[in-house]
Amino acid sequence: MTLTRLKNKDIIFFIVVIFILIAIGSIWIIQSFGSKEDTYFLIGVSQPNLQEPWRIVMNKEIQESANEYEHIRIIFTDAATSSHKQEKDIQKLIDYGVDLLIVSMNDTERLTPIVADIYKKIPVIVLDRDVIGYDYTLFIGLDNYSIGRKAGNYLRRMRGKQTLNVVEIKGITDSPPVRDRSNGFKQAIKDNSDINIVASIEAHWQPDKAHDKFVELIKESPNIDVVYAHSDAMAFGAYKGLKDKHQEITFIGMDGLQGTNGGLELIRKGILDSTYTCPTGGKEAIRYAVSILNKDKGIPKKIILRSHEITADNLNTYIQEQQSRTHKKDPITLGFAQVGSESSWRLANTESIKQAAQEANIHLIFKNVDNRLSDKEKQKKQIQYMEEFIEQKVDVIAFSPIVEEGWEKILIKAKKAKIPVLLSDREVNVDDSLWTSYMGSDFVEEGRRAARWLMDYTKTTEGILNIVELQGTYGSAPAIGRKEGFEEVIKYHKNYNLLYSEIGSFNYADGKATMKRILESTNEKIHVVYAHNDDMAFGAIEAIEEYGLVAGKDIIVISVDATKQAFKYMVIGKLNCAVECNPLLGPQMMKAVKDLMAGNELPIRIITEEDVYTQENAKYTISSRKY
Ligand code: GYE
């Protein structure tokens, strides 16, 4: 056997071996990573029906947004207004192995337990109709109550002085959006006795039903001045039922969709007097679904989409604003006016903002007020800093408003300068057209949680429980909300007696001094301290102990914030419960700034995920607390 022949054999063998290795290697890669084509996230979308024009737009927006992402696939189901079918649809989507479920429920009560169960396995985005409780990843929807109120205020503003007979055309009675749109409207007109709802039609969101029922109604009672319809389609249905189209009737609709016979066209044609945009949330649902599936940081618990009031006067401006949204590439400059360093919560919040700006490569101009100033002086300082940001032509302004009132002038100035303003962790009491988005907590819900915990903890306690409430900064959104939520829950239970409600200004020293003064001045037995934040609670605990009582035993102590220090107090038994208020708003803030500068409209409210901690669960969670 000659060398050349052997050499040829070796070469062939070699080639075969290399070839086999390449084949094995690529099979391994395909199996482990799959070809680019087949590694994708499958998202299931369960709709309650596809009869409403608004829902068809929602699915279209979902599909269009998903098309922007290579690795996203969507499966849609339509329950055709049957909850039984929707249960089946959702089960089928789970059986298909969807990675995330987007669901808008036909019947909230019936489907909440099913959604809660699925939420244990995969992320769930609830769209439009809220679930009962918090067993979901993210809720995206509208504030239907405030939309109804806007419609009522519009009517008062436009035709307040006249006696008006109103016909209300509803979707499905008792469904959450209908209940809220109706109550918001009634709230707005309640003090105006000249505006009366003389009839109410249920049209199931169907323009034809609205048409037929309105024709019947107008035969019996022709003196109708206003049609308040929960959708533009139903308003248009009723309008078409009018024999004399010149009859002096004000038509108010909702949705404000583009396109043929959409609300915007009906305004242009003078058929509708006003409509209220109701973004479907389809785009946001896909954007957040991708973030959730990519395990991004800063995913909120709830986002409430902004509704714009559209009339013939602002129709063109609205369309221009939608079409000419800012597109600003890096560097982006954010001016942030902080409210001080009154608590450990605030220090964690400041750190989160600074760190997230760095990570997002956003140029941050961070101004903070001196803690020794009075609340009035602090507000003046914050306004001064915002003036400076306007002069510096920053791209976005964000601030934590020390109190709710007194911001109109500076916000009007920022709006004139076309600089969007974000509210960080506290809200303001001015028209929402003067600010872009609020991100933070639901303070009323925090107050409710504190009261619900107290009632559960003392459900077997006999007799009256005297409560001392330590309020945060007077006139601030968290103090107002936490007080309102707490009182809303205890007011029906006479054995809970709010004996003292005093200002502690969110700091340790005032918390201690106020508690000390109450203990030394009262003859009553104090059973509970409800502090609007941890730092005041820590001060109160020291005052209680110096008074010779045992905090957490002789006096139940509840706080809000749940900072790491609060966990230490719960583990040693001096604090009984801490309702969480998450200070780590940095990532959400920077995501919002980037979304805004990328030309997206921001939700009007972005609500953080929060929980309730007690002595029972604190010892298991303390080590993982980030703040
Ligand atoms: O609860 C408190 C801080 O605005 C939500 O302000 C924030 C509150 C927080 O002083 O600790």
Side-chain angles (χ1 to χ4, degrees), residues 100-170:
L100 182 145
L101 175 69
I102 297 177
V103 58
S104 185
M105 289 170 290
N106 191 56
D107 175 334
T108 304
E109 238 152 276
R110 177 159 171 182
L111 288 159
T112 289
I114 294 164
V115 168
D117 194 42
I118 290 163
Y119 171 54
K120 294 192 190 98
K121 303 177 201 106
I122 61 169
V124 176
I125 294 182
V126 175
L127 212 39
D128 157 51
R129 297 189 186 160
D130 208 346
V131 289
I132 301 154
Y134 288 84
D135 293 325
Y136 56 85
T137 313
L138 170 65
F139 168 77
I140 300 177
L142 295 157
D143 179 347
N144 287 300
Y145 183 87
S146 93
I147 296 175
R149 206 175 44 207
K150 273 188 183 174
N153 288 337
Y154 169 80
L155 200 54
R156 288 183 57 164
R157 233 185 14 258
M158 301 314 287
R159 307 203 41 200
K161 300 271 170 304
Q162 304 151 30
T163 303
L164 298 174
N165 292 334
V166 179
V167 171
E168 182 174 13
I169 304 185
K170 299 180 174 180

Side-chain angles (χ1 to χ4, degrees), residues 33 39 48 134 155 160 165 175 197 273 279 317 369 373 419 436 459 474 477 554 587:
F33 294 108
T39 49
Y134 288 84
L155 200 54
N165 292 334
S175 71
I197 299 179
D273 286 69
T317 325
V369 299
L373 298 175
I419 301 177
T436 300
K459 57 179 175 286
Y474 184 74
D554 300 335

Side-chain angles (χ1 to χ4, degrees), residues 88-318:
K88 293 228 165 331
D89 288 350
I90 292 173
Q91 195 46 53
K92 228 186 275 162
L93 290 171
I94 300 302
D95 297 345
Y96 285 154
V98 295
D99 301 292
L100 182 145
L101 175 69
I102 297 177
V103 58
S104 185
M105 289 170 290
N106 191 56
D107 175 334
T108 304
E109 238 152 276
R110 177 159 171 182
L111 288 159
T112 289
I114 294 164
V115 168
D117 194 42
I118 290 163
Y119 171 54
K120 294 192 190 98
K121 303 177 201 106
I122 61 169
V124 176
I125 294 182
V126 175
L127 212 39
D128 157 51
R129 297 189 186 160
D130 208 346
V131 289
I132 301 154
Y134 288 84
D135 293 325
Y136 56 85
T137 313
L138 170 65
F139 168 77
I140 300 177
L142 295 157
D143 179 347
N144 287 300
Y145 183 87
S146 93
I147 296 175
R149 206 175 44 207
K150 273 188 183 174
N153 288 337
Y154 169 80
L155 200 54
R156 288 183 57 164
R157 233 185 14 258
M158 301 314 287
R159 307 203 41 200
K161 300 271 170 304
Q162 304 151 30
T163 303
L164 298 174
N165 292 334
V166 179
V167 171
E168 182 174 13
I169 304 185
K170 299 180 174 180
I172 300 166
T173 304
D174 294 337
S175 71
V178 165
R179 188 195 54 225
D180 294 345
R181 288 176 186 187
S182 201
N183 292 344
F185 184 82
K186 288 186 184 120
Q187 170 66 23
I189 64 170
K190 98 170 179 323
D191 317 338
N192 192 313
S193 54
D194 299 326
I195 304 178
N196 308 301
I197 299 179
V198 293
S200 167
I201 292 174
E202 182 180 21
H204 295 97
W205 307 108
Q206 303 305 306
D208 304 347
K209 271 208 183 104
H211 173 276
D212 303 349
K213 291 191 176 182
F214 185 68
V215 169
E216 280 315 301
L217 180 94
I218 210 143
K219 263 196 224 126
E220 282 143 39
S221 35
N223 297 332
I224 302 299
D225 306 294
V226 179
V227 169
Y228 167 53
H230 292 192
S231 78
D232 298 330
M234 293 192 292
F236 191 35
Y239 172 82
K240 283 192 268 186
L242 273 184
K243 282 215 179 40
D244 167 10
K245 295 281 186 289
H246 302 295
Q247 199 173 339
E248 231 339 277
I249 293 186
T250 297
F251 282 85
I252 296 176
M254 281 183 192
D255 290 342
L257 296 173
Q258 312 253 5
T260 314
N261 296 336
L264 302 188
E265 188 180 277
L266 297 177
I267 293 275
R268 191 177 298 293
K269 287 183 178 166
I271 292 171
L272 287 181
D273 286 69
S274 75
T275 186
Y276 300 82
T277 62
C278 297
T280 71
K283 284 194 288 266
E284 290 80 2
I286 293 300
R287 261 212 316 272
Y288 277 98
V290 171
S291 292
I292 291 166
L293 291 165
N294 292 342
K295 303 203 176 350
D296 289 359
K297 274 200 290 186
I299 305 293
K301 190 68 177 176
K302 276 190 172 190
I303 67 169
I304 307 299
L305 304 168
R306 178 179 282 275
S307 170
H308 296 268
E309 177 176 277
I310 311 294
T311 65
D313 300 342
N314 70 356
L315 176 63
N316 294 336
T317 325
Y318 169 73

Side-chain angles (χ1 to χ4, degrees), residues 43-97:
I43 295 177
V45 179
S46 165
Q47 286 283 12
N49 73 70
L50 281 180
Q51 295 159 0
E52 305 158 41
W54 186 76
R55 254 170 223 297
I56 294 161
V57 174
M58 184 191 280
N59 276 6
K60 187 164 152 288
E61 289 183 356
I62 287 174
Q63 190 58 64
E64 279 166 4
S65 302
N67 295 346
E68 289 163 24
Y69 302 91
E70 260 177 44
H71 63 304
I72 295 290
R73 302 275 186 285
I74 308 282
I75 304 183
F76 291 97
T77 62
D78 167 14
T81 71
S82 149
S83 297
H84 177 67
K85 180 169 183 317
Q86 192 162 28
E87 281 174 19
K88 293 228 165 331
D89 288 350
I90 292 173
Q91 195 46 53
K92 228 186 275 162
L93 290 171
I94 300 302
D95 297 345
Y96 285 154

